Amino acid sequence: MRTVDIIEAKRDGRALTKEEIDFFVKGYTADEIPDYQAAALAMAILFRGMNKDEIAYLTDAMMHSGDTIDLSAIKGIKVDKHSTGGVGDKTSLVLGPLVSACGAKLAKMSGRGLGHTGGTLDKMESVPGMRIGLSEKEFVDQVNRIGISIIGQTAKIDPADKKLYALRDVTGTVESIPLIASSIMSKKLASGSDAILLDVKFGSGAFMKNIDSARELAKTMVEIGDSLHRDTRAILTDMDEPLGRAVGNSLEVKEAIATLKGEGPEDLVELVKRAGGIMLSQAKVASSVEEGEKIILKAIDDRSGFEKLCALFEAQGGDVSYIRDPSKFPLASHIEEIRAKKGGYVERIDSFGIGVAAMKLGAGRAKMTDTIDMAAGIILCKKVGDKVKEGEVLAYAHTNKTDVEEVYKEISDSFIVCKEKVPAHTVVHEYIAK
Ligand code: URA
């Protein structure tokens, strides 16, 4: 078999066979196929697409390109949740402890932030001492002991995706539904949970810019999961404005803590309630999503979710005094007030603009090797639908940098204020299950 024939077949719109896809994934992972040929094939897939069988073959080949985690030593149904990435998305830090406090087992492998999006691992590392690199045995033992662990993916899981994703990132081939679906699902399937909830985001701060493409991606991933006998469901959620009010690592951890104490922003609480209700029904802790939602709200009310967050940090070496007393998180040296230039109603907050601005303040990485400033970020004082007076504070920019006047302007420009009343955004738009 020759790689060039596979590239030409896809270029001309032919469906690839399982053998061709296996040949490519094995060869690329083993460094036998060069980047330029992999890039050409990724671009051909982006333009020509893939049918269901091809996507299933690609997912399966990537999933088996490295280790798969065996969670069978953990008793009960293991649930997992994956977000396609957004701005201010601290959901896992709230949802994980809640579903675990309610009796589900959460064995989760998370990622780091890149570009305008944040990552759960970076947020967790804003707590001193927190270890995200547990061994497989420590991971399994911890979930058996306290019902939850969140760690980083080891280099041995899905090496094909690691190489291919890095290549796609620099060759303009990220935005392909077959490539995104197989990338996400191969990692999720390799990490072993029985049930998966996918939070597929759409809007300016997400990969999928509109709900139709988010739905197509969600349905593709649900089909892949179901074909491999994992209970896979999805929700389509709004990323046209940032989630909650905090963007930036320790700022988001503080918001997650507040949410678990019943003081969370409405949109985050709505998302956590819906997603948690679904996950509890997947874990068979609740007999319906609605019953699951009630159990989730109770775990916020009685603080059992908050106690589980403390247990999670304590088990992985994090200094839990920061969780119990969030005023211990260091603040940035400068906090700039971003004020409204005119009065009216907030019509739009450009998530992408806020995500990029937070990154420039120090909260994110432009490339994987950049270091991040845990204290940097943005607090939104106004959300879509809120009334605002001229000169009122729209947001606070937290930074340790000095030459960022331009970034303050970008934050200001991300807010669109209009005269007419505007409804607040709904977060969860659709629920997709087989
Ligand atoms: N997240 C992933 O893990 N893979 C993609 O291709 C896009 C988003």
Side-chain angles (χ1 to χ4, degrees), residues 336-340 392-397 408-409 411-412 415:
E336 176 81 9
E337 295 172 342
I338 312 292
R339 292 183 178 274
E392 214 180 337
V393 178
L394 293 171
Y396 292 105
Y408 302 149
K409 187 174 172 309
I411 299 171
S412 175
F415 281 83

Side-chain angles (χ1 to χ4, degrees), residues 137-156:
K137 183 173 181 317
E138 286 175 309
F139 181 53
V140 167
D141 286 352
Q142 184 176 314
V143 180
N144 265 330
R145 210 170 58 251
I146 65 165
I148 183 169
S149 182
I150 304 179
I151 62 169
Q153 213 176 54
T154 69
K156 290 187 183 148

